[in-house]
Amino acid sequence: SVAENLELFAKMRAGEFADGAKVLRAKIDMASPNINMRDPVLYRIRRAHHHRTGDAWCIYPMYDYAHPLSDALEKITHSLCTLEYEAHRPLYDWCIANVTVPSRPRQIEFARLNLNYTVMSKRKLLQLVTEKHVNGWDDPRMPTVSGMRRRGYPPEAIRRFCEEVGIAKRENIVELGLLEFFVRDHLNKTAPRAMAVLNPLKIVLENYPEGASETMDVINNPEDPSAGTRKVPFSRELYIERDDFREDPPKKFFRLAPGREVRLRCAYFVTCTEVVKDAAGEIVELRCTYDPATRGGDAPDGRRVKATMHWVSAAHAVDIEVRLYDRLFNVEDPEDVPEGRTFVAHLNPESLQVVPHAKAEPSLASVPTGATFQFERIGYFCVDSDARPGHMVFNRTVSLRDTWARIEQRQD
């Protein structure tokens, strides 16, 4: 009877029953073809500490009961859910129709925004956090708002991405590369440029005066003339990327090599004259000459070079930590695993690589958290929340080109 049910419910509330011993059900229509509309559970007993009410309650409402009532009490007009809740909508409407509430919200279902090379399930994301596969919910590899913010994804790019993919009523998977395209497109127009060398190789300009230095005017953003220029120091000893030199260059390698002339960005033409190696045969230094007449990067006699390289003055360089983030999984569908294995089997072991002692121009010695830059010829980076004066930390937001697209093309 109603009285008996109310008495049992009061005892549930008073804590007279063990967890799981009793539940409160709504008897609606036992002949309904929708199992959610037969006798759904509304309350269950669970002695769990609540972050707001502490231990004051030992009964809690089920989601299907709390969801519509919360929406109605908060005067929500439209409650947007994923497609798996479509069968729950009749119960949502029934609860609102049979309880006195100040408003009548409407539930609408849409397909979840699924991205390849990641997982979107909160349960799976929680597993990644609790098992320490990532460093918290704001890890830059996580598809969370805090993670994307820490990685440096601009909100404008995320909004453009969402507008492009739209809303669907059918399950689908969107390419992560599309989101990265909008990130690149936005940062290309807005991010100031800076020069940093991740794998430094020292070059010495033998005909440059010892102890001397000068400043070069370097463009901040070629896409935005109003961004102006900045002063970057130049000296006799410089750092270049180790990958920008080959002692025995292959065909179509146009960067620095013995006897070859290249342009240092906004500086001079330089020519490699000698390769210095250590006892193990590793290259430790390059001896070069520079052409003073080519200051700014152009030759008065009109001669051309086939490569322009970024650089950092060794005397003025600041040490920075660079975190190279990549996709968290190495397959498009991480949940496609053989029996007995889980999605964590597809974690990308190279999704984070740390460069502890990269060399950067002095303008990067002190910049605010969240500031974004394009490290010339490398990619887009933002200042991490771990950064502090004397130890700047930069996260790679995205590379300049979609390297994964090229990998996939080779696999095809």
Side-chain angles (χ1 to χ4, degrees):
S1 66
V2 173
E4 290 172 334
N5 284 328
L6 288 174
E7 181 182 357
L8 287 170
F9 187 53
K11 289 181 178 180
M12 287 172 58
R13 169 67 182 89
E16 296 184 18
F17 301 115
D19 286 13
K22 303 286 183 182
V23 295
L24 176 68
R25 293 180 178 271
K27 193 173 182 180
I28 304 175
D29 180 8
M30 296 303 292
S32 173
N34 185 340
I35 193 171
N36 298 298
M37 292 299 291
R38 295 177 186 174
D39 59 341
V41 175
L42 302 185
Y43 276 91
R44 84 283 199 197
I45 303 170
R46 188 182 180 202
R47 288 172 174 79
H49 185 80
H50 193 273
H51 67 286
R52 288 183 179 172
T53 59
D55 299 316
W57 291 84
C58 62
I59 59 171
Y60 289 96
M62 302 298 288
Y63 180 81
D64 278 344
Y65 185 60
H67 176 206
L69 299 188
S70 297
D71 287 348
L73 292 172
E74 295 173 9
K75 297 183 179 180
I76 300 296
T77 58
H78 295 77
S79 183
L80 306 183
C81 302
T82 47
L83 288 177
E84 61 263 33
Y85 288 98
E86 190 170 16
H88 296 248
R89 193 196 322 147
L91 179 57
Y92 182 98
D93 295 337
W94 183 89
C95 290
I96 292 173
N98 285 275
V99 178
T100 302
V101 287
S103 65
R104 293 187 176 274
R106 179 185 175 193
Q107 176 178 302
I108 304 176
E109 305 83 20
F110 296 102
R112 184 195 302 268
L113 175 55
N114 293 309
L115 294 171
N116 60 6
Y117 292 103
T118 190
V119 293
M120 303 296 283
S121 162
K122 290 190 289 291
R123 178 176 57 83
K124 290 183 172 64
L125 294 176
L126 176 62
Q127 182 180 342
L128 292 174
V129 173
T130 55
E131 294 181 0
K132 300 188 183 303
H133 297 295
V134 295
N135 300 314
W137 288 96
D138 66 344
D139 188 295
R141 294 165 291 183
M142 292 281 277
T144 58
V145 172
S146 59
M148 290 188 286
R149 181 186 296 118
R150 189 173 179 184
R151 186 156 178 169
Y153 282 10
E156 298 88 345
I158 297 173
R159 286 196 291 268
R160 282 186 61 198
F161 167 73
C162 292
E163 290 169 0
E164 176 69 20
V165 300
I167 297 174
K169 293 286 283 185
R170 185 173 61 185
E171 292 289 357
N172 60 92
I173 297 177
V174 180
E175 290 190 15
L176 182 59
L178 182 61
L179 173 58
E180 293 173 340
F181 165 80
F182 286 115
V183 171
R184 286 190 192 93
D185 185 65
H186 182 81
L187 292 179
N188 181 49
K189 300 170 185 174
T190 61
R193 276 44 172 176
M195 290 193 286
V197 176
L198 305 192
N199 188 10
L201 174 62
K202 181 182 285 188
I203 67 172
V204 178
L205 305 179
E206 294 189 293
N207 61 333
Y208 194 92
E210 291 193 33
S213 66
E214 58 186 305
T215 57
M216 300 295 180
D217 291 320
V218 182
I219 298 171
N220 282 326
N221 189 337
E223 302 292 325
D224 180 13
S226 66
T229 61
R230 67 189 186 281
K231 300 290 186 181
V232 179
F234 185 92
S235 63
R236 187 171 188 264
E237 296 184 357
L238 309 168
Y239 290 118
I240 64 168
E241 290 288 351
R242 190 170 290 272
D243 287 344
D244 281 340
F245 176 78
R246 290 289 186 276
E247 187 175 15
D248 183 16
K251 188 178 181 180
K252 296 186 178 180
F253 182 88
F254 300 118
R255 286 167 276 174
L256 195 60
R260 181 177 294 172
E261 187 176 54
V262 298
R263 177 189 293 109
L264 296 182
R265 177 128 170 89
C266 296
Y268 295 103
F269 284 13
V270 299
T271 303
C272 178
T273 58
E274 182 183 351
V275 179
V276 180
K277 300 181 180 181
D278 61 15
E282 294 292 326
I283 298 173
V284 295
E285 186 177 286
L286 302 178
R287 296 301 175 104
C288 301
T289 59
Y290 85 110
D291 183 350
T294 59
R295 192 178 195 278
D298 292 309
D301 60 7
R303 75 183 187 276
R304 297 178 179 275
V305 293
K306 292 186 177 181
T308 299
M309 295 163 27
H310 64 284
W311 51 273
V312 172
S313 168
H316 305 88
V318 294
D319 264 18
I320 61 172
E321 178 182 320
V322 177
R323 298 172 182 174
L324 301 174
Y325 288 101
D326 207 334
R327 298 180 180 180
L328 187 55
F329 295 92
N330 52 23
V331 295
E332 285 196 37
D333 183 4
E335 298 184 57
D336 183 13
V337 292
E339 188 175 350
R341 305 188 73 185
T342 67
F343 70 102
V344 298
H346 289 312
L347 283 168
N348 179 10
E350 298 181 353
S351 63
L352 170 59
Q353 298 182 52
V354 179
V355 181
H357 299 293
K359 306 295 182 182
E361 64 177 72
S363 66
L364 297 180
S366 180
V367 285
T369 299
T372 57
F373 297 88
Q374 183 198 102
F375 288 180
E376 297 207 31
R377 301 177 61 237
I378 300 175
Y380 295 99
F381 293 78
C382 77
V383 182
D384 187 73
S385 54
D386 289 340
R388 61 185 184 275
H391 182 70
M392 297 302 297
V393 180
F394 291 83
N395 297 331
R396 181 170 66 186
T397 304
V398 67
S399 60
L400 285 182
R401 297 178 181 84
D402 189 353
T403 55
W404 279 85
R406 297 202 299 273
I407 291 171
E408 289 169 343
Q409 287 175 359
R410 289 198 297 267
Q411 289 175 344
D412 292 341

